[in-house]
Amino acid sequence: MKEKLALAKKNKKDEFYTQLTDIEKELNHYKEHFKNKVVFCNCDDPKESNFFKYFALNFKYLQLKRLVATHYNEGEKSYKLEIVEDINKDGKINLDDAITTPLKGNGDFRSDECIKILEESDIVVTNPPFSLFREYIAQLIEYNKKFVIVGHQNAISYKEIFQLIKENKIWLGYGFKGCAGHFINKFYEDYASASDRKEGMIRVSGVHWFTNLEIKKRQEDIILYKKYNEENYPKYDNFDAINIDVTKEIPMDYKGYMGVPITFMDKYNPEQFEIIALGIVGSIDFTCNKKMEIFNKQGELTGKYTFNAKGTLYKKYNPKIDKTPSFKDCKTGELYKSIYARIIIKNKRI
């Protein structure tokens, strides 16, 4: 999966067309936000993508003021599609009322003419290129736009995106079932398992909806039922926080810092928890500086060394639960296990 996304990023061929059913499921939670608003789908191909189709079919239901979509056509001039009113006077507003207008450029969301449309818009809804996600979000924030967009879950760990999440300027929407979506993409063959395979589609894990529109799920608490004990909640060796591998296992009675997986953000209620830091390289201050020898994935020492485990969070190696160690302390011989990216949080109500 990672190799597939890396290839998409390298070749800029990350046009993952979202299913209409997935769009309907998510946007059903935002109906009250669209009344009398101008919606812009600025990373869309209206003739193939379902975003323009969804809003066109629901123009009156959502009480939209205007709908615009621009198509990116690399190296060539492109067009915009727009719906404002019942052009053909048939009593309905739908795809038949769309007006096609040529663009001067190729429809890149960063172009002057697309930015002008953005400035005139209220809410942006689309599936932007994964490879340009940082730049895309930065533009929306710069122009103070509301949005509901598709992105990869790993974007949470991007320094720029995480800071916006921490400042409550971005949060996760309701998401895809199982945090995975099926998309149309002509550049790749479907590599999903038989049970997940869908003809003509590609399954992408770890995708989510990112938004800055208020939704009810942000006000729902995570139900906590476990109690803290040192054995089940080991501390990191290089940061004063306990490690938690699954969000539902957050203890109800722990007052200090806790490292939770990135998937925690799907359940995050800013009234219940405070986000402290991102537990990856360069994101938090580590307290140790040990010379460590690195193990490979087979659990063999490599003869390669690092200080402070390359800035990753780590805990003492436990052979009962950890498959292989990650590092060996050159001075004491103690073994350690590195921890995948963590969100450092604190319970506000204790």
Side-chain angles (χ1 to χ4, degrees), residues 201-247:
M201 307 200 79
I202 177 174
R203 184 182 186 275
V204 183
S205 298
V207 289
H208 221 298
W209 293 85
F210 290 75
T211 187
N212 59 354
L213 291 171
E214 284 297 337
I215 47 179
K216 291 181 180 179
K217 69 172 286 189
R218 289 235 312 152
Q219 302 166 6
E220 298 173 355
D221 281 0
I222 299 173
I223 305 301
L224 308 178
Y225 61 93
K226 294 220 170 184
K227 291 189 175 182
Y228 168 75
N229 64 72
E230 291 186 5
E231 182 179 355
N232 292 335
Y233 298 96
K235 276 195 172 185
Y236 303 118
D237 194 66
N238 58 340
F239 190 76
D240 187 16
I242 60 172
N243 181 64
I244 297 167
D245 291 320
V246 183
T247 297

mmCIF file of all heavy atoms in Angstrom, residues 201-247:
data_model
loop_
_atom_site.group_PDB
_atom_site.id
_atom_site.type_symbol
_atom_site.label_atom_id
_atom_site.label_comp_id
_atom_site.label_asym_id
_atom_site.label_seq_id
_atom_site.Cartn_x
_atom_site.Cartn_y
_atom_site.Cartn_z
ATOM 1 N N MET A 201 -11.997 -0.595 -9.599
ATOM 2 C CA MET A 201 -11.674 0.315 -8.507
ATOM 3 C C MET A 201 -10.424 -0.140 -7.767
ATOM 4 O O MET A 201 -9.985 -1.281 -7.886
ATOM 5 C CB MET A 201 -12.852 0.422 -7.535
ATOM 6 C CG MET A 201 -14.169 0.766 -8.206
ATOM 7 S SD MET A 201 -15.367 1.427 -7.053
ATOM 8 C CE MET A 201 -14.781 3.099 -6.904
ATOM 9 N N ILE A 202 -9.850 0.774 -6.994
ATOM 10 C CA ILE A 202 -8.669 0.495 -6.205
ATOM 11 C C ILE A 202 -8.990 0.778 -4.737
ATOM 12 O O ILE A 202 -9.623 1.793 -4.422
ATOM 13 C CB ILE A 202 -7.470 1.348 -6.674
ATOM 14 C CG1 ILE A 202 -6.248 1.110 -5.790
ATOM 15 C CG2 ILE A 202 -7.805 2.822 -6.724
ATOM 16 C CD1 ILE A 202 -5.000 1.805 -6.296
ATOM 17 N N ARG A 203 -8.605 -0.125 -3.861
ATOM 18 C CA ARG A 203 -8.850 0.055 -2.430
ATOM 19 C C ARG A 203 -7.667 0.771 -1.802
ATOM 20 O O ARG A 203 -6.525 0.330 -1.946
ATOM 21 C CB ARG A 203 -9.068 -1.293 -1.742
ATOM 22 C CG ARG A 203 -9.416 -1.181 -0.255
ATOM 23 C CD ARG A 203 -9.565 -2.570 0.370
ATOM 24 N NE ARG A 203 -10.028 -2.504 1.741
ATOM 25 C CZ ARG A 203 -9.232 -2.334 2.794
ATOM 26 N NH1 ARG A 203 -7.930 -2.211 2.616
ATOM 27 N NH2 ARG A 203 -9.731 -2.292 4.024
ATOM 28 N N VAL A 204 -7.921 1.871 -1.114
ATOM 29 C CA VAL A 204 -6.873 2.643 -0.454
ATOM 30 C C VAL A 204 -7.155 2.683 1.046
ATOM 31 O O VAL A 204 -8.207 3.161 1.475
ATOM 32 C CB VAL A 204 -6.802 4.082 -1.006
ATOM 33 C CG1 VAL A 204 -5.654 4.842 -0.344
ATOM 34 C CG2 VAL A 204 -6.609 4.057 -2.526
ATOM 35 N N SER A 205 -6.229 2.175 1.833
ATOM 36 C CA SER A 205 -6.390 2.164 3.291
ATOM 37 C C SER A 205 -5.933 3.493 3.894
ATOM 38 O O SER A 205 -5.089 4.187 3.337
ATOM 39 C CB SER A 205 -5.574 1.022 3.902
ATOM 40 O OG SER A 205 -6.017 -0.231 3.436
ATOM 41 N N GLY A 206 -6.495 3.813 5.046
ATOM 42 C CA GLY A 206 -6.042 4.982 5.787
ATOM 43 C C GLY A 206 -6.518 6.314 5.240
ATOM 44 O O GLY A 206 -5.908 7.345 5.505
ATOM 45 N N VAL A 207 -7.602 6.317 4.469
ATOM 46 C CA VAL A 207 -8.125 7.589 3.960
ATOM 47 C C VAL A 207 -9.185 8.129 4.912
ATOM 48 O O VAL A 207 -9.837 7.372 5.631
ATOM 49 C CB VAL A 207 -8.709 7.447 2.544
ATOM 50 C CG1 VAL A 207 -7.615 7.235 1.524
ATOM 51 C CG2 VAL A 207 -9.734 6.328 2.483
ATOM 52 N N HIS A 208 -9.342 9.441 4.895
ATOM 53 C CA HIS A 208 -10.306 10.058 5.801
ATOM 54 C C HIS A 208 -10.802 11.369 5.207
ATOM 55 O O HIS A 208 -10.296 11.840 4.193
ATOM 56 C CB HIS A 208 -9.671 10.317 7.170
ATOM 57 C CG HIS A 208 -10.577 10.004 8.306
ATOM 58 N ND1 HIS A 208 -11.785 10.666 8.502
ATOM 59 C CD2 HIS A 208 -10.483 9.120 9.314
ATOM 60 C CE1 HIS A 208 -12.374 10.177 9.585
ATOM 61 N NE2 HIS A 208 -11.615 9.242 10.092
ATOM 62 N N TRP A 209 -11.798 11.932 5.854
ATOM 63 C CA TRP A 209 -12.295 13.254 5.495
ATOM 64 C C TRP A 209 -11.728 14.275 6.475
ATOM 65 O O TRP A 209 -11.750 14.060 7.692
ATOM 66 C CB TRP A 209 -13.822 13.299 5.554
ATOM 67 C CG TRP A 209 -14.505 12.453 4.525
ATOM 68 C CD1 TRP A 209 -14.797 11.126 4.625
ATOM 69 C CD2 TRP A 209 -14.971 12.856 3.235
ATOM 70 N NE1 TRP A 209 -15.428 10.682 3.479
ATOM 71 C CE2 TRP A 209 -15.552 11.726 2.604
ATOM 72 C CE3 TRP A 209 -14.972 14.079 2.539
ATOM 73 C CZ2 TRP A 209 -16.116 11.780 1.330
ATOM 74 C CZ3 TRP A 209 -15.538 14.129 1.270
ATOM 75 C CH2 TRP A 209 -16.091 12.994 0.686
ATOM 76 N N PHE A 210 -11.230 15.380 5.959
ATOM 77 C CA PHE A 210 -10.723 16.480 6.780
ATOM 78 C C PHE A 210 -11.652 17.671 6.589
ATOM 79 O O PHE A 210 -12.083 17.967 5.468
ATOM 80 C CB PHE A 210 -9.314 16.868 6.346
ATOM 81 C CG PHE A 210 -8.263 15.847 6.662
ATOM 82 C CD1 PHE A 210 -8.156 14.678 5.914
ATOM 83 C CD2 PHE A 210 -7.363 16.042 7.699
ATOM 84 C CE1 PHE A 210 -7.186 13.727 6.197
ATOM 85 C CE2 PHE A 210 -6.385 15.094 7.986
ATOM 86 C CZ PHE A 210 -6.291 13.937 7.241
ATOM 87 N N THR A 211 -11.959 18.369 7.660
ATOM 88 C CA THR A 211 -12.902 19.484 7.571
ATOM 89 C C THR A 211 -12.625 20.525 8.635
ATOM 90 O O THR A 211 -11.871 20.293 9.588
ATOM 91 C CB THR A 211 -14.353 18.972 7.728
ATOM 92 O OG1 THR A 211 -15.261 20.036 7.477
ATOM 93 C CG2 THR A 211 -14.593 18.406 9.126
ATOM 94 N N ASN A 212 -13.232 21.696 8.480
ATOM 95 C CA ASN A 212 -13.253 22.712 9.539
ATOM 96 C C ASN A 212 -14.688 23.199 9.761
ATOM 97 O O ASN A 212 -14.910 24.270 10.315
ATOM 98 C CB ASN A 212 -12.318 23.879 9.219
ATOM 99 C CG ASN A 212 -12.660 24.575 7.916
ATOM 100 O OD1 ASN A 212 -13.527 24.146 7.158
ATOM 101 N ND2 ASN A 212 -11.969 25.674 7.625
ATOM 102 N N LEU A 213 -15.643 22.385 9.318
ATOM 103 C CA LEU A 213 -17.058 22.644 9.594
ATOM 104 C C LEU A 213 -17.460 21.887 10.868
ATOM 105 O O LEU A 213 -17.080 20.732 11.053
ATOM 106 C CB LEU A 213 -17.926 22.165 8.422
ATOM 107 C CG LEU A 213 -17.799 22.949 7.116
ATOM 108 C CD1 LEU A 213 -18.533 22.231 5.993
ATOM 109 C CD2 LEU A 213 -18.343 24.374 7.279
ATOM 110 N N GLU A 214 -18.204 22.524 11.718
ATOM 111 C CA GLU A 214 -18.599 21.901 12.979
ATOM 112 C C GLU A 214 -19.537 20.719 12.729
ATOM 113 O O GLU A 214 -20.475 20.812 11.936
ATOM 114 C CB GLU A 214 -19.281 22.916 13.891
ATOM 115 C CG GLU A 214 -18.326 23.892 14.560
ATOM 116 C CD GLU A 214 -17.339 23.215 15.501
ATOM 117 O OE1 GLU A 214 -17.632 22.097 15.983
ATOM 118 O OE2 GLU A 214 -16.267 23.796 15.745
ATOM 119 N N ILE A 215 -19.264 19.617 13.414
ATOM 120 C CA ILE A 215 -20.087 18.411 13.307
ATOM 121 C C ILE A 215 -20.324 17.846 14.705
ATOM 122 O O ILE A 215 -19.534 18.082 15.625
ATOM 123 C CB ILE A 215 -19.408 17.348 12.407
ATOM 124 C CG1 ILE A 215 -17.933 17.172 12.793
ATOM 125 C CG2 ILE A 215 -19.534 17.722 10.943
ATOM 126 C CD1 ILE A 215 -17.201 16.137 11.975
ATOM 127 N N LYS A 216 -21.383 17.084 14.850
ATOM 128 C CA LYS A 216 -21.786 16.595 16.165
ATOM 129 C C LYS A 216 -20.764 15.659 16.794
ATOM 130 O O LYS A 216 -20.627 15.619 18.018
ATOM 131 C CB LYS A 216 -23.147 15.902 16.061
ATOM 132 C CG LYS A 216 -24.302 16.839 15.761
ATOM 133 C CD LYS A 216 -25.623 16.101 15.691
ATOM 134 C CE LYS A 216 -26.777 17.044 15.400
ATOM 135 N NZ LYS A 216 -28.081 16.336 15.301
ATOM 136 N N LYS A 217 -20.060 14.877 15.985
ATOM 137 C CA LYS A 217 -19.131 13.893 16.544
ATOM 138 C C LYS A 217 -18.021 14.540 17.366
ATOM 139 O O LYS A 217 -17.456 13.905 18.244
ATOM 140 C CB LYS A 217 -18.523 13.025 15.442
ATOM 141 C CG LYS A 217 -17.555 13.739 14.513
ATOM 142 C CD LYS A 217 -16.838 12.761 13.576
ATOM 143 C CE LYS A 217 -15.787 11.962 14.286
ATOM 144 N NZ LYS A 217 -14.947 11.161 13.391
ATOM 145 N N ARG A 218 -17.733 15.821 17.116
ATOM 146 C CA ARG A 218 -16.687 16.516 17.872
ATOM 147 C C ARG A 218 -17.110 16.780 19.307
ATOM 148 O O ARG A 218 -16.287 17.156 20.141
ATOM 149 C CB ARG A 218 -16.372 17.852 17.208
ATOM 150 C CG ARG A 218 -15.646 17.725 15.897
ATOM 151 C CD ARG A 218 -14.367 18.495 15.837
ATOM 152 N NE ARG A 218 -14.451 19.856 16.279
ATOM 153 C CZ ARG A 218 -13.423 20.512 16.796
ATOM 154 N NH1 ARG A 218 -12.273 19.908 16.969
ATOM 155 N NH2 ARG A 218 -13.536 21.775 17.156
ATOM 156 N N GLN A 219 -18.379 16.592 19.596
ATOM 157 C CA GLN A 219 -18.886 16.844 20.945
ATOM 158 C C GLN A 219 -19.150 15.546 21.713
ATOM 159 O O GLN A 219 -19.655 15.572 22.824
ATOM 160 C CB GLN A 219 -20.167 17.667 20.856
ATOM 161 C CG GLN A 219 -19.979 18.987 20.129
ATOM 162 C CD GLN A 219 -21.301 19.632 19.738
ATOM 163 O OE1 GLN A 219 -22.375 19.148 20.096
ATOM 164 N NE2 GLN A 219 -21.232 20.714 18.993
ATOM 165 N N GLU A 220 -18.795 14.420 21.076
ATOM 166 C CA GLU A 220 -19.039 13.123 21.704
ATOM 167 C C GLU A 220 -17.789 12.635 22.438
ATOM 168 O O GLU A 220 -16.706 12.589 21.872
ATOM 169 C CB GLU A 220 -19.446 12.108 20.632
ATOM 170 C CG GLU A 220 -20.745 12.467 19.911
ATOM 171 C CD GLU A 220 -21.031 11.550 18.739
ATOM 172 O OE1 GLU A 220 -20.162 10.698 18.431
ATOM 173 O OE2 GLU A 220 -22.103 11.692 18.132
ATOM 174 N N ASP A 221 -17.958 12.260 23.699
ATOM 175 C CA ASP A 221 -16.840 11.770 24.505
ATOM 176 C C ASP A 221 -16.439 10.353 24.111
ATOM 177 O O ASP A 221 -17.271 9.552 23.683
ATOM 178 C CB ASP A 221 -17.210 11.752 25.993
ATOM 179 C CG ASP A 221 -17.122 13.130 26.622
ATOM 180 O OD1 ASP A 221 -16.778 14.095 25.903
ATOM 181 O OD2 ASP A 221 -17.417 13.249 27.828
ATOM 182 N N ILE A 222 -15.167 10.061 24.284
ATOM 183 C CA ILE A 222 -14.707 8.676 24.226
ATOM 184 C C ILE A 222 -15.047 8.047 25.570
ATOM 185 O O ILE A 222 -14.711 8.593 26.621
ATOM 186 C CB ILE A 222 -13.178 8.601 23.995
ATOM 187 C CG1 ILE A 222 -12.812 9.264 22.671
ATOM 188 C CG2 ILE A 222 -12.701 7.149 24.024
ATOM 189 C CD1 ILE A 222 -11.312 9.373 22.441
ATOM 190 N N ILE A 223 -15.746 6.935 25.548
ATOM 191 C CA ILE A 223 -16.104 6.263 26.804
ATOM 192 C C ILE A 223 -14.879 5.539 27.349
ATOM 193 O O ILE A 223 -14.330 4.642 26.705
ATOM 194 C CB ILE A 223 -17.254 5.264 26.591
ATOM 195 C CG1 ILE A 223 -18.467 5.972 25.954
ATOM 196 C CG2 ILE A 223 -17.646 4.613 27.914
ATOM 197 C CD1 ILE A 223 -19.007 7.122 26.769
ATOM 198 N N LEU A 224 -14.438 5.927 28.541
ATOM 199 C CA LEU A 224 -13.265 5.333 29.170
ATOM 200 C C LEU A 224 -13.699 4.387 30.278
ATOM 201 O O LEU A 224 -14.548 4.728 31.104
ATOM 202 C CB LEU A 224 -12.368 6.440 29.742
ATOM 203 C CG LEU A 224 -11.982 7.572 28.778
ATOM 204 C CD1 LEU A 224 -11.140 8.608 29.499
ATOM 205 C CD2 LEU A 224 -11.238 7.018 27.572
ATOM 206 N N TYR A 225 -13.097 3.199 30.308
ATOM 207 C CA TYR A 225 -13.504 2.224 31.325
ATOM 208 C C TYR A 225 -12.328 1.505 31.982
ATOM 209 O O TYR A 225 -12.500 0.777 32.961
ATOM 210 C CB TYR A 225 -14.447 1.189 30.708
ATOM 211 C CG TYR A 225 -13.838 0.376 29.590
ATOM 212 C CD1 TYR A 225 -13.233 -0.851 29.841
ATOM 213 C CD2 TYR A 225 -13.845 0.842 28.283
ATOM 214 C CE1 TYR A 225 -12.660 -1.598 28.821
ATOM 215 C CE2 TYR A 225 -13.288 0.109 27.254
ATOM 216 C CZ TYR A 225 -12.702 -1.102 27.530
ATOM 217 O OH TYR A 225 -12.132 -1.829 26.519
ATOM 218 N N LYS A 226 -11.124 1.711 31.473
ATOM 219 C CA LYS A 226 -9.950 1.036 32.043
ATOM 220 C C LYS A 226 -9.281 1.907 33.093
ATOM 221 O O LYS A 226 -9.346 3.145 33.035
ATOM 222 C CB LYS A 226 -8.967 0.687 30.940
ATOM 223 C CG LYS A 226 -9.488 -0.348 29.952
ATOM 224 C CD LYS A 226 -8.397 -1.311 29.575
ATOM 225 C CE LYS A 226 -8.944 -2.488 28.791
ATOM 226 N NZ LYS A 226 -7.915 -3.483 28.506
ATOM 227 N N LYS A 227 -8.632 1.254 34.048
ATOM 228 C CA LYS A 227 -7.888 1.972 35.081
ATOM 229 C C LYS A 227 -6.395 1.789 34.852
ATOM 230 O O LYS A 227 -5.943 0.760 34.374
ATOM 231 C CB LYS A 227 -8.287 1.485 36.475
ATOM 232 C CG LYS A 227 -9.711 1.878 36.860
ATOM 233 C CD LYS A 227 -9.983 1.571 38.334
ATOM 234 C CE LYS A 227 -11.373 2.072 38.734
ATOM 235 N NZ LYS A 227 -11.647 1.825 40.175
ATOM 236 N N TYR A 228 -5.657 2.802 35.237
ATOM 237 C CA TYR A 228 -4.207 2.797 35.007
ATOM 238 C C TYR A 228 -3.476 1.861 35.950
ATOM 239 O O TYR A 228 -3.800 1.772 37.136
ATOM 240 C CB TYR A 228 -3.644 4.209 35.178
ATOM 241 C CG TYR A 228 -2.146 4.246 35.250
ATOM 242 C CD1 TYR A 228 -1.368 4.065 34.109
ATOM 243 C CD2 TYR A 228 -1.492 4.420 36.471
ATOM 244 C CE1 TYR A 228 0.015 4.065 34.166
ATOM 245 C CE2 TYR A 228 -0.097 4.439 36.542
ATOM 246 C CZ TYR A 228 0.640 4.261 35.380
ATOM 247 O OH TYR A 228 2.017 4.263 35.467
ATOM 248 N N ASN A 229 -2.495 1.137 35.409
ATOM 249 C CA ASN A 229 -1.508 0.429 36.224
ATOM 250 C C ASN A 229 -0.203 0.399 35.443
ATOM 251 O O ASN A 229 -0.188 0.427 34.211
ATOM 252 C CB ASN A 229 -1.974 -0.987 36.591
ATOM 253 C CG ASN A 229 -2.123 -1.873 35.376
ATOM 254 O OD1 ASN A 229 -1.133 -2.285 34.769
ATOM 255 N ND2 ASN A 229 -3.370 -2.179 35.009
ATOM 256 N N GLU A 230 0.905 0.366 36.148
ATOM 257 C CA GLU A 230 2.226 0.482 35.534
ATOM 258 C C GLU A 230 2.531 -0.651 34.569
ATOM 259 O O GLU A 230 3.209 -0.452 33.556
ATOM 260 C CB GLU A 230 3.303 0.536 36.623
ATOM 261 C CG GLU A 230 3.281 1.810 37.451
ATOM 262 C CD GLU A 230 4.451 1.871 38.423
ATOM 263 O OE1 GLU A 230 5.315 0.964 38.358
ATOM 264 O OE2 GLU A 230 4.504 2.809 39.230
ATOM 265 N N GLU A 231 2.047 -1.847 34.855
ATOM 266 C CA GLU A 231 2.363 -3.001 34.019
ATOM 267 C C GLU A 231 1.740 -2.901 32.626
ATOM 268 O O GLU A 231 2.389 -3.190 31.614
ATOM 269 C CB GLU A 231 1.875 -4.286 34.694
ATOM 270 C CG GLU A 231 2.218 -5.550 33.905
ATOM 271 C CD GLU A 231 1.748 -6.815 34.598
ATOM 272 O OE1 GLU A 231 1.236 -6.728 35.733
ATOM 273 O OE2 GLU A 231 1.905 -7.888 33.998
ATOM 274 N N ASN A 232 0.492 -2.474 32.566
ATOM 275 C CA ASN A 232 -0.209 -2.413 31.284
ATOM 276 C C ASN A 232 0.045 -1.128 30.500
ATOM 277 O O ASN A 232 -0.232 -1.069 29.294
ATOM 278 C CB ASN A 232 -1.721 -2.568 31.500
ATOM 279 C CG ASN A 232 -2.092 -3.956 31.982
ATOM 280 O OD1 ASN A 232 -1.374 -4.916 31.743
ATOM 281 N ND2 ASN A 232 -3.216 -4.047 32.686
ATOM 282 N N TYR A 233 0.567 -0.124 31.188
ATOM 283 C CA TYR A 233 0.813 1.156 30.538
ATOM 284 C C TYR A 233 2.256 1.600 30.770
ATOM 285 O O TYR A 233 2.526 2.498 31.571
ATOM 286 C CB TYR A 233 -0.159 2.222 31.059
ATOM 287 C CG TYR A 233 -1.607 1.903 30.772
ATOM 288 C CD1 TYR A 233 -2.402 1.280 31.740
ATOM 289 C CD2 TYR A 233 -2.179 2.206 29.544
ATOM 290 C CE1 TYR A 233 -3.733 0.988 31.480
ATOM 291 C CE2 TYR A 233 -3.514 1.916 29.280
ATOM 292 C CZ TYR A 233 -4.281 1.310 30.252
ATOM 293 O OH TYR A 233 -5.613 1.014 29.989
ATOM 294 N N PRO A 234 3.212 0.992 30.076
ATOM 295 C CA PRO A 234 4.626 1.342 30.268
ATOM 296 C C PRO A 234 4.918 2.760 29.779
ATOM 297 O O PRO A 234 4.298 3.253 28.827
ATOM 298 C CB PRO A 234 5.356 0.311 29.406
ATOM 299 C CG PRO A 234 4.373 -0.056 28.347
ATOM 300 C CD PRO A 234 3.038 -0.037 29.028
ATOM 301 N N LYS A 235 5.891 3.391 30.438
ATOM 302 C CA LYS A 235 6.304 4.730 30.027
ATOM 303 C C LYS A 235 7.369 4.631 28.949
ATOM 304 O O LYS A 235 8.118 3.663 28.868
ATOM 305 C CB LYS A 235 6.856 5.510 31.227
ATOM 306 C CG LYS A 235 5.805 6.178 32.080
ATOM 307 C CD LYS A 235 6.435 7.210 33.010
ATOM 308 C CE LYS A 235 5.366 8.023 33.730
ATOM 309 N NZ LYS A 235 5.956 9.118 34.542
ATOM 310 N N TYR A 236 7.423 5.651 28.114
ATOM 311 C CA TYR A 236 8.515 5.742 27.164
ATOM 312 C C TYR A 236 9.797 5.990 27.936
ATOM 313 O O TYR A 236 9.787 6.611 29.000
ATOM 314 C CB TYR A 236 8.278 6.885 26.170
ATOM 315 C CG TYR A 236 6.984 6.761 25.410
ATOM 316 C CD1 TYR A 236 5.994 7.736 25.527
ATOM 317 C CD2 TYR A 236 6.737 5.675 24.583
ATOM 318 C CE1 TYR A 236 4.792 7.627 24.839
ATOM 319 C CE2 TYR A 236 5.543 5.550 23.892
ATOM 320 C CZ TYR A 236 4.575 6.524 24.025
ATOM 321 O OH TYR A 236 3.399 6.413 23.356
ATOM 322 N N ASP A 237 10.880 5.519 27.403
ATOM 323 C CA ASP A 237 12.152 5.715 28.084
ATOM 324 C C ASP A 237 12.696 7.118 27.859
ATOM 325 O O ASP A 237 13.482 7.615 28.657
ATOM 326 C CB ASP A 237 13.171 4.688 27.559
ATOM 327 C CG ASP A 237 14.392 4.594 28.452
ATOM 328 O OD1 ASP A 237 14.247 4.149 29.611
ATOM 329 O OD2 ASP A 237 15.487 4.992 28.004
ATOM 330 N N ASN A 238 12.272 7.762 26.782
ATOM 331 C CA ASN A 238 12.835 9.069 26.439
ATOM 332 C C ASN A 238 11.816 10.203 26.418
ATOM 333 O O ASN A 238 12.071 11.267 25.880
ATOM 334 C CB ASN A 238 13.553 8.990 25.085
ATOM 335 C CG ASN A 238 12.630 8.519 23.964
ATOM 336 O OD1 ASN A 238 11.591 7.918 24.210
ATOM 337 N ND2 ASN A 238 13.022 8.786 22.742
ATOM 338 N N PHE A 239 10.627 9.965 26.985
ATOM 339 C CA PHE A 239 9.647 11.036 27.132
ATOM 340 C C PHE A 239 8.683 10.660 28.241
ATOM 341 O O PHE A 239 8.283 9.503 28.367
ATOM 342 C CB PHE A 239 8.883 11.267 25.825
ATOM 343 C CG PHE A 239 8.035 12.507 25.829
ATOM 344 C CD1 PHE A 239 8.620 13.758 25.687
ATOM 345 C CD2 PHE A 239 6.657 12.435 25.984
ATOM 346 C CE1 PHE A 239 7.841 14.915 25.693
ATOM 347 C CE2 PHE A 239 5.874 13.578 25.988
ATOM 348 C CZ PHE A 239 6.469 14.821 25.845
ATOM 349 N N ASP A 240 8.296 11.631 29.061
ATOM 350 C CA ASP A 240 7.470 11.367 30.241
ATOM 351 C C ASP A 240 5.994 11.219 29.844
ATOM 352 O O ASP A 240 5.181 12.129 30.027
ATOM 353 C CB ASP A 240 7.630 12.490 31.261
ATOM 354 C CG ASP A 240 6.926 12.172 32.581
ATOM 355 O OD1 ASP A 240 6.599 10.976 32.797
ATOM 356 O OD2 ASP A 240 6.720 13.099 33.386
ATOM 357 N N ALA A 241 5.674 10.055 29.278
ATOM 358 C CA ALA A 241 4.291 9.744 28.902
ATOM 359 C C ALA A 241 4.138 8.238 28.853
ATOM 360 O O ALA A 241 5.105 7.504 28.627
ATOM 361 C CB ALA A 241 3.958 10.357 27.545
ATOM 362 N N ILE A 242 2.924 7.760 29.085
ATOM 363 C CA ILE A 242 2.670 6.322 28.992
ATOM 364 C C ILE A 242 2.242 5.976 27.568
ATOM 365 O O ILE A 242 1.681 6.806 26.851
ATOM 366 C CB ILE A 242 1.586 5.867 29.999
ATOM 367 C CG1 ILE A 242 0.255 6.584 29.732
ATOM 368 C CG2 ILE A 242 2.058 6.092 31.429
ATOM 369 C CD1 ILE A 242 -0.906 6.051 30.561
ATOM 370 N N ASN A 243 2.524 4.755 27.156
ATOM 371 C CA ASN A 243 2.172 4.317 25.814
ATOM 372 C C ASN A 243 0.815 3.620 25.795
ATOM 373 O O ASN A 243 0.520 2.771 26.641
ATOM 374 C CB ASN A 243 3.226 3.362 25.265
ATOM 375 C CG ASN A 243 2.891 2.909 23.864
ATOM 376 O OD1 ASN A 243 2.840 3.708 22.936
ATOM 377 N ND2 ASN A 243 2.644 1.616 23.693
ATOM 378 N N ILE A 244 0.001 3.963 24.804
ATOM 379 C CA ILE A 244 -1.307 3.339 24.612
ATOM 380 C C ILE A 244 -1.415 2.927 23.154
ATOM 381 O O ILE A 244 -1.273 3.763 22.255
ATOM 382 C CB ILE A 244 -2.438 4.311 24.994
ATOM 383 C CG1 ILE A 244 -2.342 4.663 26.476
ATOM 384 C CG2 ILE A 244 -3.803 3.709 24.679
ATOM 385 C CD1 ILE A 244 -3.200 5.822 26.905
ATOM 386 N N ASP A 245 -1.656 1.652 22.904
ATOM 387 C CA ASP A 245 -1.674 1.144 21.534
ATOM 388 C C ASP A 245 -3.045 1.241 20.866
ATOM 389 O O ASP A 245 -3.138 1.296 19.645
ATOM 390 C CB ASP A 245 -1.211 -0.323 21.506
ATOM 391 C CG ASP A 245 0.270 -0.452 21.827
ATOM 392 O OD1 ASP A 245 1.050 0.398 21.356
ATOM 393 O OD2 ASP A 245 0.641 -1.401 22.546
ATOM 394 N N VAL A 246 -4.100 1.248 21.684
ATOM 395 C CA VAL A 246 -5.465 1.286 21.143
ATOM 396 C C VAL A 246 -6.256 2.362 21.880
ATOM 397 O O VAL A 246 -6.231 2.425 23.111
ATOM 398 C CB VAL A 246 -6.171 -0.082 21.308
ATOM 399 C CG1 VAL A 246 -7.554 -0.041 20.689
ATOM 400 C CG2 VAL A 246 -5.341 -1.197 20.687
ATOM 401 N N THR A 247 -6.952 3.205 21.133
ATOM 402 C CA THR A 247 -7.655 4.343 21.721
ATOM 403 C C THR A 247 -8.612 3.942 22.837
ATOM 404 O O THR A 247 -8.702 4.612 23.872
ATOM 405 C CB THR A 247 -8.436 5.097 20.625
ATOM 406 O OG1 THR A 247 -7.504 5.615 19.662
ATOM 407 C CG2 THR A 247 -9.239 6.242 21.207
#
